[in-house]
Amino acid sequence: MGIGVWEGWVKPSFGGEETWINKGVGRYFRFGTEAKATATRYTIFAIATFFIAGMLAMAIRIDLLSPHGMFFANKEQYNEAFSIHGTLMLLAVAALAILGGIGNFMLPPMIGARQVVYPKLMGISSWFVPPAVIAVAMSPMVGGYESGWMGFPPLSTLGGTGIIFYFMGGATLLLSSWAGAINFVATMVFMRAKGMTLSRVPMFVYGIASASVLLIIFVPYTASAFLFNLFDMVVGTQFYALKGGLTLAYQDMFWWLFHPEVYVFVLPAWALWLEIIVVFSRRSLFGRGWAAAGFVGIVAISGAVGVHHFFTQVGDVRLPIIMGLTEMVSVPTGFFYLAAIGTLWGGRIRLTSPMLLVLMSMVNFLIGGLTGVFNSDVPANLQIHNTFFVIGHFHYTILGGMLFTWIAALYYYFPKVTGRMVNEFWAKFHAWWFFIFFNFTFFGMYIVGIDGMNRRIATYLPYLQPMNEWISINAFLLGAGFLIPLVNLVYSYYRGPIASTNPWGGKTLEWQMPSPPPYENFPFGKDPVVVADFYNYEENAPDPVIWVESKQST
């Protein structure tokens, strides 16, 4: 009650005045209605969870240095470690870092809004994250489980009671994403500045909105599967029972979200590619309409693409259909590359740390995408299904596509958020460190996967040990490298050079705010009116924004 609930919710319910505390350092530790404080909490939670899940990845790689394991006491502990690593990385880092952190901070000013539509919903959504992460991370200590990260019944009923905490944590993280998604879509629809037609909405806003639509549609479906499974285990219902239940229905309900969830991770990242490329190539955005079509196309077919998780479970007659649906998603994905490469072509490129990381992200995702097409071919998939090849492909698309872009966005928006610049030397040094050891680590997984190494199994045949040693050593170096941006961001926050309002020369509205921005984003008694395209970098291009006297009190 002392963290904002009394002042904000209970007291107004009995006729008292609502008194949210949205200023000062204390706002970061309380419930509040300020988007920037919420975004900061999401970012800090994502960074902390990334290091927790990353330490588990290091433990897994230590264990795989030996064919018989050398870190975990038994195979159940190995199962629990990769399950927690996967769930936290997906639901508390990949799903929330860009959406919750960058999105909550930048979406309102990018559309010319002072606030979001549902500030209380936004404020509370971030506080779902810590208890959910703790529940998932601590689940082995309250009984453990053997089902792996997907929790398929009836395996989920075997082992200990830790699976209950695991499901509760997972469902709570989904609830956080869902609440944020509702707020993002409503804010984009109702809070756009005058003159900001759909053809002028920034690409990052489209990326956030597309990911949010996927969450709004699919989260209830898979969260219900989690809850039904919990009821079976705790209350004794028979939703997924082997006798009298629909056991395989859980699998369908699970993948309805968890394949579109991949696009929840990467659609905002691809949108950030275009935002950053335009600014650092000083060239008008090429193929904006094609990029917008890419968002629509992926949202439309992402649910169907999930059928490829059933490759080895269906009859031969269905396999060509699964292959066709899976490969179809490469078409709208290509639209983003078309827009990015077309913008880069002939541009005056400034190779800053954000730009460098975006280019590296494009290379990584291209490798992940091409191996995904290979993986979706029927003969190839039947051979490499459930091998480390799939782990390599997945990390190239998600880690390579989303994580590189998240760090690029942290460097890109750091001057706006803090009013200071990051150290460019160390930012670029880490970018190259990250790129080199990322590729050494995860390309090695392609090789060891083709060579026959299965995933989700704690042991392997001795002939695979040299390649596993190569992967582990490079993974340790990759993991250690993340201390560089952590130290750089913290040091730059206190000692970095003072940044100007618009150090990169961006044209979108967030760069019109002071650095760091005030509570209401544009508190100068003026409201923005959008009159032209934000991405026109032609010579003598008109200023995209004019300012008029504000009709509301600041």
Side-chain angles (χ1 to χ4, degrees):
M1 300 293 279
I3 56 175
V5 178
W6 174 259
E7 300 95 325
W9 289 337
V10 177
K11 198 164 67 171
S13 300
F14 293 94
E17 184 181 355
E18 186 177 291
T19 54
W20 294 101
I21 296 176
N22 286 321
K23 297 182 180 178
V25 177
R27 71 188 191 278
Y28 298 112
F29 302 97
R30 302 166 61 87
F31 290 112
T33 58
E34 192 207 8
K36 291 180 278 295
T38 301
T40 303
R41 280 196 294 273
Y42 267 120
T43 301
I44 291 172
F45 294 156
I47 291 173
T49 307
F50 177 78
F51 277 91
I52 293 171
M55 291 303 293
L56 286 169
M58 297 299 104
I60 293 167
R61 288 315 317 174
I62 292 173
D63 198 65
L64 291 176
L65 283 169
S66 166
H68 306 293
M70 59 182 296
F71 185 84
F72 299 111
N74 52 54
K75 295 172 184 176
E76 182 179 324
Q77 287 186 5
Y78 180 88
N79 274 348
E80 292 164 349
F82 80 69
S83 299
I84 296 169
H85 164 77
T87 299
L88 293 185
M89 279 293 191
L90 294 179
L91 298 184
V93 179
L96 299 179
I98 292 181
L99 274 175
I102 310 295
N104 275 310
F105 206 108
M106 294 301 165
L107 184 140
M110 287 182 97
I111 60 172
R114 298 177 184 277
Q115 187 49 289
V116 296
V117 170
Y118 303 119
K120 294 178 185 176
L121 183 66
M122 171 204 65
I124 196 172
S125 64
S126 63
W127 286 109
F128 289 139
V129 179
V133 169
I134 291 171
V136 173
M138 302 297 285
S139 54
M141 301 177 190
V142 288
Y145 47 90
E146 296 182 359
S147 59
W149 78 278
M150 294 177 286
F152 286 167
L155 280 176
S156 57
T157 60
L158 303 176
T161 54
I163 192 67
I164 296 173
F165 286 80
Y166 181 79
F167 273 122
M168 290 175 64
T172 306
L173 287 170
L174 291 180
L175 182 61
S176 177
S177 294
W178 194 64
I182 292 171
N183 190 46
F184 283 135
V185 172
T187 300
M188 177 193 164
V189 171
F190 295 111
M191 301 290 280
R192 299 198 308 277
K194 185 178 181 181
M196 183 167 286
T197 61
L198 291 179
S199 64
R200 291 172 178 165
V201 169
M203 299 310 294
F204 181 55
V205 178
Y206 270 123
I208 292 282
S210 302
S212 298
V213 168
L214 291 174
L215 287 168
I216 291 170
I217 294 172
F218 293 114
V219 162
Y221 207 69
T222 298
S224 299
F226 282 10
L227 294 177
F228 291 162
N229 210 358
L230 272 175
F231 290 156
D232 282 359
M233 288 184 279
V234 177
V235 184
T237 54
Q238 301 288 311
F239 289 110
Y240 303 123
L242 286 174
K243 292 184 178 180
L246 298 170
T247 311
L248 292 179
Y250 177 88
Q251 193 176 166
D252 295 332
M253 297 175 77
F254 181 88
W255 288 119
W256 266 114
L257 170 68
F258 274 99
H259 195 78
E261 182 83 354
V262 170
Y263 304 105
V264 171
F265 308 152
V266 297
L267 284 175
W270 292 343
L272 281 168
W273 288 0
L274 302 181
E275 294 286 349
I276 292 172
I277 285 174
V278 163
V279 170
F280 292 114
S281 65
R282 313 306 294 173
R283 194 164 184 274
S284 300
L285 179 60
F286 177 83
R288 179 191 171 103
W290 286 103
F295 286 124
V296 174
I298 287 179
V299 170
I301 65 175
S302 61
V305 177
V307 294
H308 66 240
H309 294 281
F310 300 87
F311 251 120
T312 56
Q313 303 170 40
V314 299
D316 291 350
V317 69
R318 297 184 185 179
L319 292 177
I321 301 173
I322 291 177
M323 182 178 72
L325 286 171
T326 303
E327 294 187 351
M328 193 165 58
V329 79
S330 61
V331 176
T333 301
F335 294 166
F336 293 99
Y337 273 88
L338 177 71
I341 294 172
T343 306
L344 285 167
W345 194 267
R348 292 166 288 161
I349 295 173
R350 289 182 290 163
L351 206 57
T352 60
S353 55
M355 183 68 163
L356 183 61
L357 283 159
V358 164
L359 295 177
M360 291 173 172
S361 176
M362 290 179 64
V363 172
N364 292 331
F365 194 88
L366 181 63
I367 296 171
L370 291 175
T371 54
V373 173
F374 174 73
N375 191 27
S376 65
D377 291 334
V378 175
N381 192 284
L382 294 178
Q383 292 296 318
I384 59 179
H385 202 91
N386 267 343
T387 68
F388 262 65
F389 186 94
V390 179
I391 296 182
H393 159 70
F394 186 77
H395 281 81
Y396 263 94
T397 52
I398 302 306
L399 206 62
M402 175 268 161
L403 190 60
F404 273 78
T405 309
W406 179 36
I407 297 175
L410 290 177
Y411 292 152
Y412 181 61
Y413 286 119
F414 191 84
K416 178 54 59 187
V417 173
T418 67
R420 292 182 181 273
M421 303 294 291
V422 296
N423 184 300
E424 270 291 285
F425 170 80
W426 286 109
K428 290 182 179 177
F429 179 85
H430 172 255
W432 284 109
W433 181 290
F434 189 12
F435 185 71
I436 291 169
F437 291 110
F438 170 86
N439 279 280
F440 282 176
T441 300
F442 293 106
F443 203 86
M445 292 186 183
Y446 284 132
I447 297 171
V448 79
I450 287 179
D451 221 11
M453 176 136 179
N454 289 314
R455 61 174 174 168
R456 302 172 186 152
I457 295 177
T459 58
Y460 57 86
L461 293 174
Y463 77 92
L464 296 167
Q465 186 172 13
M467 199 63 211
N468 271 291
E469 290 173 345
W470 164 267
I471 295 170
S472 290
I473 290 168
N474 284 291
F476 300 149
L477 292 169
L478 174 67
F482 286 110
L483 294 175
I484 298 171
L486 182 65
V487 173
N488 191 5
L489 291 172
V490 173
Y491 179 84
S492 298
Y493 178 79
Y494 292 103
R495 299 293 180 87
I498 300 297
S500 64
T501 299
N502 191 0
W504 310 124
K507 290 192 172 186
T508 40
L509 274 167
E510 76 274 22
W511 295 108
Q512 311 301 317
M513 300 188 295
S515 302
Y519 173 64
E520 289 189 323
N521 297 333
F522 310 108
F524 5 87
K526 303 279 188 180
D527 280 335
V529 176
V530 182
V531 294
D533 184 9
F534 289 110
Y535 303 117
N536 185 353
Y537 281 84
E538 300 297 327
E539 193 173 355
N540 300 322
D543 193 328
V545 180
I546 60 174
W547 295 89
V548 298
E549 293 293 329
S550 175
K551 294 180 180 178
Q552 68 181 76
S553 171
T554 59

